[in-house]
Amino acid sequence: MNDHDRNDLFIGGRWVAPRSGATADVIEAATEKVLGRTAMASNADIDDAVSAARTALSGPWSTLTNAERADLLDRFAAALKSRGRDTSRLVSRENGMPIALSNGVNGFGPAAMISYYAGLIRDASNEDVRPSMFGGRTVVRREPVGVVAAITPWNYPQPLAAMKLAPALAAGCAVVLKPAPETALDAFVYADAAVDAGLPDGVINIVPAGRDEGAYLVQHSGIDKVAFTGSTAAGRAIGEVCGRLLRPVTLELGGKSAAIVTERADLDVFTKNLLAVSLVNNGQTCHASTRILAPRSRYDEIVDAVTETVRSLTVGDPLDKGTDIGPLVSDAQRERVLDYIESGRADGYRITTGGGVPAAQPQGWFVEPTVFADVDNSAPIAQEEIFGPVLTITAYDGEDDAVAIANDSIYGLGGTVWTTDEEHGLDLAARIHSGTVGVNYYELGVEAPFGGVKASGLGRELGPEGLSPYYTSKSVYFGTQ
Ligand code: NAD
């Protein structure tokens, strides 16, 4: 038994052994050693979790006022926040995320999101009365959509769960959370905090499992809405099922975003932000601006600046505050990234730094931060999501060309524009076909909707827009008699 072991699932407010007895090892990305063991749910456990969530919906949870629910959510947020330091370290050990980033996104982010949604509902009414065109009135009620299946990946496990849990709970839904097996251990922190905060039994259920059980959960007859973050391939499969079942679904999927560095860019600002915008979380970030588009007039200068910046990054232990780039989440992920580097090399593109496994890190799933220059935007390394520390640089001739290249992608999730003139930045941002764009910066805030267009997904999370999918509306008509 190890300190990190989680041998039970969390269902109906209780810790229960998985019916099949199945467990899986969670491996530490930097050491390749077992970090802890997680219980793994089978379909029978998923049935139990869905049933517990349905029961919760007809219990005391459903009779709370918005203000009472907001109080509970604030307690839940406080319980998460008090664990933030440990949670950040745990996630960094699971998936290799540099601790400086993890402290923010895993330690602080979920509590901030939950408090934000508590604030949105606290004084809100779930009813409004509208005069009817026939002289009577209509009462429009907001009601919780029901039981939510929340399915999350391993790259930002805590905030991606919070982006679903927080609005779902604020709306009065109950949730079955199926985290990815690679980062299952940290998901149970939500159970610990729910118990501390006194959330009613069954409002949150946590069932780590693989893809097949995830697919079983999506089509389960007890589910009213699916909220998924993960790959485009899985998102398409889930979208097809939900389409057939006419089941509401939110899909946050892959990306391959562009950084348009304009003639008017301040290169110091660009390079200072490059890690945060393009290589954040070791490149395992859906919205990262991994395609750098450079005007031909400044091309060499930009290639040199990007190369120097990337070469100077500190690769190492994710638990060290000075680390910029940690290991990738798994051996399979590293192989995938190294295969892409080989494909870029085989296609004849110029590697200006990196290109393999760092000699100083023989253990752990590290990949050198790598830059390819002179890349044609049609190349697989420019079109496909690599999900590792690999950037491409492509030249453009004029801003129409830059916008056309940025939009020449199946994805549309993020993107950045680099210019000293903010109006110019906003004009260019408007021309990028994508759900989000940053100007000289990129950071998701809880107050604004996040999500993609095209193969990057359907629907939005965060902001007030992220709350409405968890409600359904009911119109009650009154005549004049
Ligand atoms: P993945 O799609 O393989 O797995 C994600 C989760 O879905 C896991 O919990 C997995 O078990 C489950 N799953 C997989 N197939 C399923 C199916 N058919 N039915 C139900 N559940 C299923 O993705 P991954 O490789 O773990 O994560 C990386 C991907 O996630 C990248 O493509 C990345 O861009 C994307 N991502 C998107 C966002 C966003 O907000 N748009 C954020 C983070 C990651």
mmCIF file of all heavy atoms in Angstrom, residues 151-155 160 178-180 209-211 214-215 218 228-231 234 237-238 252-255 286 385 387 413 450, ligand 1:
data_model
loop_
_atom_site.group_PDB
_atom_site.id
_atom_site.type_symbol
_atom_site.label_atom_id
_atom_site.label_comp_id
_atom_site.label_asym_id
_atom_site.label_seq_id
_atom_site.Cartn_x
_atom_site.Cartn_y
_atom_site.Cartn_z
ATOM 1 N N ILE A 151 -16.322 13.537 -18.949
ATOM 2 C CA ILE A 151 -15.191 12.669 -19.336
ATOM 3 C C ILE A 151 -13.993 13.567 -19.639
ATOM 4 O O ILE A 151 -14.096 14.503 -20.445
ATOM 5 C CB ILE A 151 -15.579 11.809 -20.557
ATOM 6 C CG1 ILE A 151 -16.791 10.955 -20.192
ATOM 7 C CG2 ILE A 151 -14.403 10.946 -21.012
ATOM 8 C CD1 ILE A 151 -17.303 10.080 -21.315
ATOM 9 N N THR A 152 -12.874 13.286 -18.973
ATOM 10 C CA THR A 152 -11.732 14.209 -19.049
ATOM 11 C C THR A 152 -10.443 13.488 -19.465
ATOM 12 O O THR A 152 -10.277 12.295 -19.207
ATOM 13 C CB THR A 152 -11.515 14.874 -17.673
ATOM 14 O OG1 THR A 152 -11.540 13.852 -16.662
ATOM 15 C CG2 THR A 152 -12.598 15.886 -17.380
ATOM 16 N N PRO A 153 -9.504 14.240 -20.068
ATOM 17 C CA PRO A 153 -8.199 13.670 -20.440
ATOM 18 C C PRO A 153 -7.169 13.920 -19.333
ATOM 19 O O PRO A 153 -7.497 14.470 -18.277
ATOM 20 C CB PRO A 153 -7.855 14.459 -21.702
ATOM 21 C CG PRO A 153 -8.425 15.819 -21.446
ATOM 22 C CD PRO A 153 -9.631 15.628 -20.545
ATOM 23 N N TRP A 154 -5.938 13.568 -19.617
ATOM 24 C CA TRP A 154 -4.876 13.602 -18.598
ATOM 25 C C TRP A 154 -4.079 14.895 -18.588
ATOM 26 O O TRP A 154 -3.256 15.108 -17.715
ATOM 27 C CB TRP A 154 -3.904 12.433 -18.816
ATOM 28 C CG TRP A 154 -3.551 12.231 -20.268
ATOM 29 C CD1 TRP A 154 -4.075 11.271 -21.095
ATOM 30 C CD2 TRP A 154 -2.647 12.999 -21.067
ATOM 31 N NE1 TRP A 154 -3.555 11.401 -22.359
ATOM 32 C CE2 TRP A 154 -2.671 12.451 -22.371
ATOM 33 C CE3 TRP A 154 -1.805 14.082 -20.826
ATOM 34 C CZ2 TRP A 154 -1.897 12.958 -23.416
ATOM 35 C CZ3 TRP A 154 -1.046 14.601 -21.860
ATOM 36 C CH2 TRP A 154 -1.095 14.034 -23.142
ATOM 37 N N ASN A 155 -4.239 15.757 -19.584
ATOM 38 C CA ASN A 155 -3.258 16.856 -19.686
ATOM 39 C C ASN A 155 -3.482 17.983 -18.685
ATOM 40 O O ASN A 155 -2.520 18.514 -18.134
ATOM 41 C CB ASN A 155 -3.162 17.374 -21.125
ATOM 42 C CG ASN A 155 -4.449 17.927 -21.652
ATOM 43 O OD1 ASN A 155 -5.524 17.605 -21.161
ATOM 44 N ND2 ASN A 155 -4.360 18.763 -22.669
ATOM 45 N N LEU A 160 -9.933 20.779 -16.117
ATOM 46 C CA LEU A 160 -10.897 20.289 -17.121
ATOM 47 C C LEU A 160 -12.082 19.596 -16.447
ATOM 48 O O LEU A 160 -13.213 19.658 -16.949
ATOM 49 C CB LEU A 160 -10.213 19.363 -18.127
ATOM 50 C CG LEU A 160 -9.219 20.101 -19.043
ATOM 51 C CD1 LEU A 160 -8.438 19.118 -19.899
ATOM 52 C CD2 LEU A 160 -9.929 21.125 -19.913
ATOM 53 N N LYS A 178 -15.691 10.601 -15.212
ATOM 54 C CA LYS A 178 -14.798 9.518 -15.613
ATOM 55 C C LYS A 178 -13.463 10.117 -16.050
ATOM 56 O O LYS A 178 -13.307 10.583 -17.174
ATOM 57 C CB LYS A 178 -15.374 8.687 -16.764
ATOM 58 C CG LYS A 178 -14.597 7.395 -16.945
ATOM 59 C CD LYS A 178 -14.443 6.918 -18.373
ATOM 60 C CE LYS A 178 -13.438 7.623 -19.194
ATOM 61 N NZ LYS A 178 -12.028 7.470 -18.799
ATOM 62 N N PRO A 179 -12.490 10.147 -15.130
ATOM 63 C CA PRO A 179 -11.187 10.705 -15.503
ATOM 64 C C PRO A 179 -10.366 9.702 -16.307
ATOM 65 O O PRO A 179 -10.666 8.503 -16.322
ATOM 66 C CB PRO A 179 -10.536 10.970 -14.140
ATOM 67 C CG PRO A 179 -11.160 9.985 -13.209
ATOM 68 C CD PRO A 179 -12.540 9.680 -13.733
ATOM 69 N N ALA A 180 -9.332 10.196 -16.961
ATOM 70 C CA ALA A 180 -8.417 9.316 -17.703
ATOM 71 C C ALA A 180 -7.598 8.491 -16.707
ATOM 72 O O ALA A 180 -7.213 8.992 -15.647
ATOM 73 C CB ALA A 180 -7.490 10.159 -18.567
ATOM 74 N N ALA A 209 -11.802 4.920 -15.519
ATOM 75 C CA ALA A 209 -12.014 3.752 -16.379
ATOM 76 C C ALA A 209 -11.391 4.037 -17.735
ATOM 77 O O ALA A 209 -10.953 5.155 -18.012
ATOM 78 C CB ALA A 209 -13.514 3.484 -16.538
ATOM 79 N N GLY A 210 -11.374 3.011 -18.563
ATOM 80 C CA GLY A 210 -10.818 3.140 -19.906
ATOM 81 C C GLY A 210 -11.866 3.622 -20.897
ATOM 82 O O GLY A 210 -12.953 4.058 -20.527
ATOM 83 N N ARG A 211 -11.487 3.514 -22.181
ATOM 84 C CA ARG A 211 -12.353 4.045 -23.251
ATOM 85 C C ARG A 211 -13.670 3.299 -23.360
ATOM 86 O O ARG A 211 -14.709 3.904 -23.595
ATOM 87 C CB ARG A 211 -11.634 3.918 -24.593
ATOM 88 C CG ARG A 211 -10.494 4.853 -24.652
ATOM 89 C CD ARG A 211 -9.629 4.695 -25.845
ATOM 90 N NE ARG A 211 -8.631 5.750 -25.701
ATOM 91 C CZ ARG A 211 -7.954 6.295 -26.674
ATOM 92 N NH1 ARG A 211 -8.129 5.871 -27.895
ATOM 93 N NH2 ARG A 211 -7.101 7.252 -26.441
ATOM 94 N N GLY A 214 -15.936 4.365 -20.826
ATOM 95 C CA GLY A 214 -16.323 5.740 -21.154
ATOM 96 C C GLY A 214 -17.435 5.735 -22.200
ATOM 97 O O GLY A 214 -18.437 6.454 -22.079
ATOM 98 N N ALA A 215 -17.273 4.892 -23.214
ATOM 99 C CA ALA A 215 -18.285 4.800 -24.273
ATOM 100 C C ALA A 215 -19.600 4.264 -23.695
ATOM 101 O O ALA A 215 -20.696 4.705 -24.078
ATOM 102 C CB ALA A 215 -17.781 3.891 -25.393
ATOM 103 N N VAL A 218 -21.354 7.118 -21.954
ATOM 104 C CA VAL A 218 -21.937 8.099 -22.887
ATOM 105 C C VAL A 218 -23.327 7.669 -23.347
ATOM 106 O O VAL A 218 -24.243 8.481 -23.439
ATOM 107 C CB VAL A 218 -20.991 8.292 -24.100
ATOM 108 C CG1 VAL A 218 -21.698 8.988 -25.253
ATOM 109 C CG2 VAL A 218 -19.745 9.058 -23.676
ATOM 110 N N PHE A 228 -17.490 16.405 -22.695
ATOM 111 C CA PHE A 228 -16.272 15.644 -23.007
ATOM 112 C C PHE A 228 -15.131 16.581 -23.374
ATOM 113 O O PHE A 228 -15.317 17.525 -24.150
ATOM 114 C CB PHE A 228 -16.557 14.708 -24.192
ATOM 115 C CG PHE A 228 -15.320 14.006 -24.711
ATOM 116 C CD1 PHE A 228 -14.817 12.889 -24.051
ATOM 117 C CD2 PHE A 228 -14.657 14.457 -25.845
ATOM 118 C CE1 PHE A 228 -13.663 12.245 -24.515
ATOM 119 C CE2 PHE A 228 -13.515 13.820 -26.313
ATOM 120 C CZ PHE A 228 -13.024 12.709 -25.654
ATOM 121 N N THR A 229 -13.954 16.300 -22.843
ATOM 122 C CA THR A 229 -12.724 16.916 -23.350
ATOM 123 C C THR A 229 -11.765 15.796 -23.700
ATOM 124 O O THR A 229 -11.542 14.887 -22.892
ATOM 125 C CB THR A 229 -12.073 17.841 -22.301
ATOM 126 O OG1 THR A 229 -12.993 18.872 -21.972
ATOM 127 C CG2 THR A 229 -10.813 18.482 -22.863
ATOM 128 N N GLY A 230 -11.194 15.888 -24.892
ATOM 129 C CA GLY A 230 -10.248 14.861 -25.315
ATOM 130 C C GLY A 230 -9.953 15.001 -26.791
ATOM 131 O O GLY A 230 -10.089 16.087 -27.366
ATOM 132 N N SER A 231 -9.573 13.899 -27.398
ATOM 133 C CA SER A 231 -9.133 13.938 -28.793
ATOM 134 C C SER A 231 -10.317 14.118 -29.742
ATOM 135 O O SER A 231 -11.459 13.763 -29.416
ATOM 136 C CB SER A 231 -8.408 12.638 -29.125
ATOM 137 O OG SER A 231 -9.295 11.559 -28.966
ATOM 138 N N ALA A 234 -12.049 10.674 -30.550
ATOM 139 C CA ALA A 234 -13.019 10.216 -29.546
ATOM 140 C C ALA A 234 -14.240 11.135 -29.539
ATOM 141 O O ALA A 234 -15.379 10.673 -29.399
ATOM 142 C CB ALA A 234 -12.372 10.172 -28.162
ATOM 143 N N ALA A 237 -16.667 10.177 -32.207
ATOM 144 C CA ALA A 237 -17.409 8.951 -31.855
ATOM 145 C C ALA A 237 -18.509 9.292 -30.845
ATOM 146 O O ALA A 237 -19.653 8.830 -30.963
ATOM 147 C CB ALA A 237 -16.449 7.910 -31.279
ATOM 148 N N ILE A 238 -18.174 10.117 -29.865
ATOM 149 C CA ILE A 238 -19.151 10.484 -28.829
ATOM 150 C C ILE A 238 -20.261 11.347 -29.439
ATOM 151 O O ILE A 238 -21.447 11.160 -29.146
ATOM 152 C CB ILE A 238 -18.421 11.205 -27.671
ATOM 153 C CG1 ILE A 238 -17.543 10.195 -26.933
ATOM 154 C CG2 ILE A 238 -19.396 11.892 -26.725
ATOM 155 C CD1 ILE A 238 -16.570 10.787 -25.951
ATOM 156 N N GLU A 252 -14.936 19.426 -26.279
ATOM 157 C CA GLU A 252 -13.721 20.261 -26.320
ATOM 158 C C GLU A 252 -12.610 19.363 -26.835
ATOM 159 O O GLU A 252 -12.159 18.459 -26.125
ATOM 160 C CB GLU A 252 -13.367 20.767 -24.911
ATOM 161 C CG GLU A 252 -14.416 21.633 -24.259
ATOM 162 C CD GLU A 252 -14.435 23.052 -24.790
ATOM 163 O OE1 GLU A 252 -13.667 23.368 -25.726
ATOM 164 O OE2 GLU A 252 -15.238 23.843 -24.270
ATOM 165 N N LEU A 253 -12.156 19.618 -28.073
ATOM 166 C CA LEU A 253 -11.305 18.623 -28.735
ATOM 167 C C LEU A 253 -9.910 19.177 -29.062
ATOM 168 O O LEU A 253 -9.419 20.060 -28.380
ATOM 169 C CB LEU A 253 -12.039 18.098 -29.971
ATOM 170 C CG LEU A 253 -13.482 17.652 -29.699
ATOM 171 C CD1 LEU A 253 -14.180 17.223 -30.964
ATOM 172 C CD2 LEU A 253 -13.532 16.553 -28.651
ATOM 173 N N GLY A 254 -9.311 18.661 -30.089
ATOM 174 C CA GLY A 254 -7.913 18.986 -30.382
ATOM 175 C C GLY A 254 -7.735 20.347 -31.037
ATOM 176 O O GLY A 254 -8.693 21.056 -31.339
ATOM 177 N N GLY A 255 -6.466 20.697 -31.261
ATOM 178 C CA GLY A 255 -6.165 21.981 -31.903
ATOM 179 C C GLY A 255 -4.800 21.967 -32.574
ATOM 180 O O GLY A 255 -3.985 21.048 -32.360
ATOM 181 N N CYS A 286 -4.102 21.769 -25.713
ATOM 182 C CA CYS A 286 -4.949 21.764 -26.913
ATOM 183 C C CYS A 286 -4.918 23.095 -27.670
ATOM 184 O O CYS A 286 -4.974 23.115 -28.889
ATOM 185 C CB CYS A 286 -6.374 21.431 -26.518
ATOM 186 S SG CYS A 286 -6.954 22.433 -25.132
ATOM 187 N N GLU A 385 -2.086 17.406 -34.840
ATOM 188 C CA GLU A 385 -1.777 17.767 -33.461
ATOM 189 C C GLU A 385 -0.690 16.821 -32.938
ATOM 190 O O GLU A 385 -0.899 15.613 -32.859
ATOM 191 C CB GLU A 385 -3.049 17.626 -32.619
ATOM 192 C CG GLU A 385 -2.885 18.141 -31.219
ATOM 193 C CD GLU A 385 -4.162 17.992 -30.412
ATOM 194 O OE1 GLU A 385 -4.766 16.906 -30.440
ATOM 195 O OE2 GLU A 385 -4.552 18.962 -29.750
ATOM 196 N N PHE A 387 1.057 17.307 -29.894
ATOM 197 C CA PHE A 387 0.882 17.209 -28.436
ATOM 198 C C PHE A 387 2.203 16.896 -27.735
ATOM 199 O O PHE A 387 2.317 15.993 -26.917
ATOM 200 C CB PHE A 387 -0.180 16.156 -28.105
ATOM 201 C CG PHE A 387 -1.251 16.703 -27.198
ATOM 202 C CD1 PHE A 387 -1.891 17.895 -27.492
ATOM 203 C CD2 PHE A 387 -1.621 16.032 -26.030
ATOM 204 C CE1 PHE A 387 -2.882 18.412 -26.651
ATOM 205 C CE2 PHE A 387 -2.603 16.546 -25.189
ATOM 206 C CZ PHE A 387 -3.230 17.737 -25.498
ATOM 207 N N LEU A 413 -9.238 26.194 -32.511
ATOM 208 C CA LEU A 413 -9.431 26.314 -31.059
ATOM 209 C C LEU A 413 -8.817 27.593 -30.497
ATOM 210 O O LEU A 413 -9.460 28.346 -29.781
ATOM 211 C CB LEU A 413 -8.836 25.085 -30.356
ATOM 212 C CG LEU A 413 -9.083 24.991 -28.853
ATOM 213 C CD1 LEU A 413 -10.568 25.003 -28.522
ATOM 214 C CD2 LEU A 413 -8.455 23.709 -28.286
ATOM 215 N N PHE A 450 -14.754 29.435 -23.538
ATOM 216 C CA PHE A 450 -13.629 28.764 -24.191
ATOM 217 C C PHE A 450 -14.169 27.566 -24.967
ATOM 218 O O PHE A 450 -15.003 26.810 -24.460
ATOM 219 C CB PHE A 450 -12.614 28.280 -23.144
ATOM 220 C CG PHE A 450 -11.518 27.441 -23.730
ATOM 221 C CD1 PHE A 450 -10.458 28.032 -24.404
ATOM 222 C CD2 PHE A 450 -11.568 26.051 -23.656
ATOM 223 C CE1 PHE A 450 -9.463 27.256 -24.975
ATOM 224 C CE2 PHE A 450 -10.575 25.270 -24.230
ATOM 225 C CZ PHE A 450 -9.510 25.881 -24.889
HETATM 226 P P1 NAD B 1 -8.646 10.748 -25.563
HETATM 227 O O1 NAD B 1 -9.744 11.248 -26.400
HETATM 228 O O2 NAD B 1 -7.971 9.508 -25.945
HETATM 229 O O3 NAD B 1 -9.170 10.487 -24.065
HETATM 230 C C1 NAD B 1 -9.817 11.501 -23.322
HETATM 231 C C2 NAD B 1 -10.779 10.856 -22.342
HETATM 232 O O4 NAD B 1 -11.839 10.235 -23.068
HETATM 233 C C3 NAD B 1 -10.190 9.748 -21.488
HETATM 234 O O5 NAD B 1 -10.820 9.784 -20.225
HETATM 235 C C4 NAD B 1 -10.574 8.480 -22.253
HETATM 236 O O6 NAD B 1 -10.618 7.342 -21.433
HETATM 237 C C5 NAD B 1 -11.936 8.855 -22.763
HETATM 238 N N1 NAD B 1 -12.366 8.233 -24.009
HETATM 239 C C6 NAD B 1 -11.624 7.930 -25.090
HETATM 240 N N2 NAD B 1 -12.403 7.440 -26.075
HETATM 241 C C7 NAD B 1 -13.675 7.463 -25.611
HETATM 242 C C8 NAD B 1 -14.943 7.107 -26.167
HETATM 243 N N3 NAD B 1 -15.059 6.625 -27.396
HETATM 244 N N4 NAD B 1 -16.035 7.267 -25.409
HETATM 245 C C9 NAD B 1 -15.949 7.780 -24.168
HETATM 246 N N5 NAD B 1 -14.776 8.115 -23.577
HETATM 247 C C10 NAD B 1 -13.649 7.969 -24.301
HETATM 248 O O7 NAD B 1 -7.657 11.973 -25.434
HETATM 249 P P2 NAD B 1 -6.233 12.025 -24.729
HETATM 250 O O8 NAD B 1 -5.235 11.526 -25.678
HETATM 251 O O9 NAD B 1 -6.295 11.439 -23.387
HETATM 252 O O10 NAD B 1 -6.096 13.620 -24.529
HETATM 253 C C11 NAD B 1 -5.467 14.431 -25.413
HETATM 254 C C12 NAD B 1 -6.451 15.079 -26.353
HETATM 255 O O11 NAD B 1 -7.351 15.930 -25.627
HETATM 256 C C13 NAD B 1 -5.771 15.990 -27.344
HETATM 257 O O12 NAD B 1 -6.295 15.774 -28.628
HETATM 258 C C14 NAD B 1 -6.127 17.385 -26.857
HETATM 259 O O13 NAD B 1 -6.095 18.374 -27.835
HETATM 260 C C15 NAD B 1 -7.468 17.179 -26.292
HETATM 261 N N6 NAD B 1 -7.771 18.263 -25.330
HETATM 262 C C16 NAD B 1 -8.702 19.218 -25.671
HETATM 263 C C17 NAD B 1 -8.966 20.255 -24.806
HETATM 264 C C18 NAD B 1 -9.985 21.301 -25.152
HETATM 265 O O14 NAD B 1 -10.461 21.978 -24.235
HETATM 266 N N7 NAD B 1 -10.363 21.473 -26.401
HETATM 267 C C19 NAD B 1 -8.317 20.338 -23.604
HETATM 268 C C20 NAD B 1 -7.371 19.362 -23.288
HETATM 269 C C21 NAD B 1 -7.125 18.309 -24.161
#
